[in-house]
């Protein structure tokens, strides 16, 4: 289901511009508008899901599709060998600012640990 006011649902419906790098029936991937690394892509389900915190047992397939997309994009963008970070911020303490589930694919530079 789509949410009329959700930012990422509006990108999925092409009501807002984005640099889309992958699309299928279930998943859309696009460039982050404020990249935190040379490679910074967002992988989102087309169905509106608020975040990891809203997933249910039946969503295991969807999670698989999102991570399959992320690993494929990491290879395509040339960061699979050098390494990369896959991040999902969940809820307020997790630092989630857009309430539509999204995987961040960050790569092209060494990452610090622990995250802030
Ligand atoms: P999070 O803080 O985990 O919810 O991540 C939200 C991400 O969405 C941030 O990295 C933002 O830079 C990114 N973002 C916000 N608005 C847009 C947009 N219109 N197009 C692409 N990325 C966006």
């Amino acid at each position: 289901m789509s949410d009329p006011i959700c930012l990422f649902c509006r990108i999925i419906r092409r009501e807002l511009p984005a640099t889309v790098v992958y699309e299928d029936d279930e998943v859309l991937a696009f460039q982050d508008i404020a990249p935190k690394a040379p490679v910074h892509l967002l992988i989102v389900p087309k169905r509106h899901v608020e975040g990891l915190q809203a997933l249910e047992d039946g969503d295991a397939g969807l999670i698989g599709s999102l991570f399959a997309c992320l690993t494929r994009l990491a290879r395509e963008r040339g960061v699979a060998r050098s390494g990369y970070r896959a991040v999902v911020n969940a809820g307020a303490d997790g630092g989630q600012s857009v309430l539509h589930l999204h995987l961040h694919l960050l790569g092209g530079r060494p990452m610090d640990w622990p995250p802030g």
Side-chain angles (χ1 to χ4, degrees), residues 13-43:
R13 291 196 303 268
R14 303 301 203 274
E15 292 171 10
L16 292 175
T19 304
V20 172
V21 297
Y22 177 78
E23 178 168 25
D24 63 26
D25 289 347
E26 212 174 14
V27 173
L28 190 78
F30 50 94
Q31 286 184 2
D32 196 291
I33 201 168
K36 315 300 185 296
V39 174
H40 190 174
L41 301 176
L42 301 175
I43 298 96

Side-chain angles (χ1 to χ4, degrees), residues 7-8 11 16-18 30-36 40 42 89 95-99 102 104:
L7 179 65
F8 288 172
I11 287 175
L16 292 175
F30 50 94
Q31 286 184 2
D32 196 291
I33 201 168
K36 315 300 185 296
H40 190 174
L42 301 175
N89 298 323
Q96 183 179 6
S97 62
V98 178
L99 290 179
H102 50 283
H104 295 259

Side-chain angles (χ1 to χ4, degrees), residues 21-79:
V21 297
Y22 177 78
E23 178 168 25
D24 63 26
D25 289 347
E26 212 174 14
V27 173
L28 190 78
F30 50 94
Q31 286 184 2
D32 196 291
I33 201 168
K36 315 300 185 296
V39 174
H40 190 174
L41 301 176
L42 301 175
I43 298 96
V44 309
K46 285 191 167 175
R47 171 164 68 91
H48 181 75
V49 179
E50 194 166 291
L52 277 188
Q53 63 277 30
L55 287 175
E56 297 175 358
D57 288 351
D59 292 323
L62 177 63
I63 298 165
S65 298
L66 293 168
F67 273 96
C69 179
L70 183 143
T71 53
R72 206 166 45 239
L73 287 169
R75 284 194 290 272
E76 284 176 19
R77 297 286 156 150
V79 297

